[in-house]
Amino acid sequence: MKEWEKNIRRVVPYTPGEQPRLPDMIKLNTNENPYPPAPGVRLALKEMEEESFRLYPDPAAGLLVEALAECYHRPKEQFFVGVGSDDVLAMAFLTFFYSEKPILFPDITYSFYPVWAELFGIPYERPALDEEFRIVKEDYVRENGGIIFPNPNAPTGLYMELEGVEEIIRKNPDVIVIVDEAYVDFAGPSAMELTDRYDNLLVVQTFSKSRSMAGMRIGFAVGNPRLIQYLNDVKYSFNSYTMSQAALELGAAALKDETYFQETVRRLVATRERTKKELHALGFRFPDSGANFIFATHERYPARELFDALKERHIYVRYFDAPRIDNYLRITIGTQEQMDALLAFLREYIGEKG
């Protein structure tokens, strides 16, 4: 080791899903929405002025914050925005998890959580999900420095009803509880309504899934104004201009078309439910997903084997080589045509193997 290497921070990085660029591929590995964003987004892009590129964007992201406030019928002081929910969550880790006590998050969950904890020097513990991959609420009633969990969870896709979410918040009044709702639009009610009763709750969402804008990197948090102010203080100490003007304008445009948003979600949920039935008929088992993906396993065909066979056909799904889940595939819900192609391959593969 060279002398200068002794002063370098070393971490095990987050591993993103593959981003292949093949003309004939079916990409079902990163939970992107297969449908385009709302038509108003394209129109807003065409109408953007040259000044939008030449000048710095508004550091307060006022255009987008006000659009969020109008969309969700809440005061603008309750919103914080960032470059995707990953940026928002990283800022939340930096801001709220500043205790010597360990934060808590599940052993099977979004794999960025331990990366941020290690990067920022935050102690953490990982209570195990039960045998059905559900959060054990009682494991979160102990001394801790904060709590974070996705709802629906990832990669399992399981949604916890709001009564369970509220129980965890209610029993942890002295720490910040973050509910990461990247997939909630495909599942059930958001915990956003609970922010009116609990000043220690932060709810984080994204435009990447249900609003079809993963390429724009737009995320936001909702909480009481004091939490939002603390977040902004850290943001301004890190980078005042986190969001591009394009993201601000296009994100605001996306929020204006509620009818299109609801229709896209409905189509994806319908395709998900049909795919569940077809996979079950082929012998796959999976938690009852409330997300835009299915976390599936087959008792006769190893997940790694299926992953490789699908990849050879340019059908990309996600495989996690990790304890307890190394025989599962996470399959994003695409268009009905894409899912039909996936199912046709699986029928052929299983038929040949017998």
Side-chain angles (χ1 to χ4, degrees):
M1 178 184 294
K2 293 184 179 293
E3 190 65 26
W4 52 262
E5 289 183 276
K6 295 178 182 178
N7 298 319
I8 292 176
R9 185 187 301 275
R10 296 168 181 267
V11 295
V12 177
Y14 170 75
T15 303
E18 294 178 84
Q19 294 287 355
R21 294 289 188 268
L22 302 171
D24 60 340
M25 72 177 181
I26 297 176
K27 191 168 182 291
L28 306 175
N29 68 328
T30 48
N31 299 341
E32 294 143 324
N33 195 315
Y35 300 110
V41 173
R42 180 183 290 273
L43 180 62
L45 180 62
K46 290 176 64 176
E47 293 181 348
M48 282 185 65
E49 301 289 342
E50 181 183 286
E51 300 292 277
S52 297
F53 302 96
R54 188 177 66 81
L55 301 177
Y56 281 112
D58 173 14
L63 178 66
L64 181 56
V65 166
E66 289 170 10
L68 284 163
E70 182 177 350
C71 179
Y72 291 101
H73 310 292
R74 292 181 167 274
K76 64 181 182 179
E77 292 79 13
Q78 292 186 354
F79 290 91
F80 174 87
V81 297
V83 186
S85 60
D86 286 342
D87 179 46
V88 175
L89 289 166
M91 289 293 150
F93 267 64
L94 272 173
T95 305
F96 302 121
F97 296 157
Y98 193 58
S99 166
E100 294 181 356
K101 299 173 184 177
I103 65 170
L104 305 178
F105 51 82
D107 65 331
I108 300 172
T109 194
Y110 186 30
S111 52
F112 232 137
Y113 297 165
V115 173
W116 286 319
E118 293 284 351
L119 181 63
F120 302 142
I122 301 167
Y124 63 94
E125 294 178 2
R126 309 183 68 170
L129 301 179
D130 68 15
E131 292 182 357
E132 296 181 342
F133 292 150
R134 295 191 179 277
I135 288 175
V136 181
K137 297 188 292 293
E138 293 75 14
D139 290 343
Y140 294 82
V141 186
R142 64 192 194 202
E143 193 172 32
N144 65 78
I147 293 171
I148 182 169
F149 59 90
N151 194 36
N153 197 4
T156 65
L158 283 170
Y159 172 75
M160 183 191 301
E161 298 295 335
L162 284 191
E163 291 83 357
V165 174
E166 184 170 12
E167 182 179 338
I168 292 175
I169 302 164
R170 187 176 63 250
K171 292 183 177 180
N172 289 277
D174 298 328
V175 299
I176 302 301
V177 178
I178 301 174
V179 182
D180 180 357
E181 292 188 337
Y183 303 99
V184 75
D185 293 322
F186 305 107
S190 165
M192 198 181 296
E193 67 184 62
L194 299 178
T195 61
D196 296 331
R197 300 202 291 276
Y198 299 96
D199 61 6
N200 63 322
L201 171 62
L202 190 76
V203 175
V204 178
Q205 293 190 14
T206 179
F207 282 44
S208 295
K209 316 303 181 186
S210 55
R211 294 192 185 275
S212 306
M213 296 186 73
M216 276 288 98
R217 313 305 300 129
I218 303 171
F220 66 97
V222 185
N224 83 73
R226 287 184 66 190
L227 291 187
I228 300 305
Q229 184 58 56
Y230 287 133
L231 272 172
N232 275 312
D233 289 346
V234 171
K235 170 204 165 179
Y236 289 134
S237 302
F238 185 80
N239 179 4
S240 297
Y241 304 104
T242 56
M243 299 194 71
S244 72
Q245 186 63 27
L248 296 177
E249 294 192 30
L250 302 187
L255 291 167
K256 294 178 181 178
D257 197 335
E258 183 69 14
T259 299
Y260 180 86
F261 166 66
Q262 294 294 346
E263 174 60 19
T264 301
V265 169
R266 186 198 65 77
R267 290 174 70 185
L268 275 170
V269 169
T271 302
R272 180 190 70 197
E273 295 307 304
R274 179 178 179 272
T275 303
K276 285 180 183 177
K277 293 178 182 178
E278 297 288 346
L279 287 175
H280 187 266
L282 289 170
F284 285 90
R285 294 182 295 106
F286 39 84
D288 188 20
S289 176
N292 67 334
F293 58 83
I294 298 171
F295 195 54
T297 185
H298 201 291
E299 63 179 17
R300 287 192 294 154
Y301 304 103
R304 181 78 213 199
E305 176 185 305
L306 286 168
F307 171 80
D308 290 335
L310 285 162
K311 191 172 180 178
E312 287 184 7
R313 291 286 190 94
H314 294 177
I315 301 174
Y316 287 80
V317 298
R318 190 79 188 268
Y319 172 72
F320 298 92
D321 188 7
R324 297 184 67 191
I325 59 172
D326 59 354
N327 199 36
Y328 284 79
L329 297 176
R330 193 191 68 189
I331 304 167
T332 300
I333 302 302
T335 63
Q336 190 60 65
E337 293 74 20
Q338 289 174 324
M339 304 316 290
D340 286 343
L342 168 77
L343 292 164
F345 171 81
L346 292 173
R347 291 190 195 99
E348 175 187 335
Y349 185 87
I350 290 173
E352 290 177 354
K353 294 286 183 177

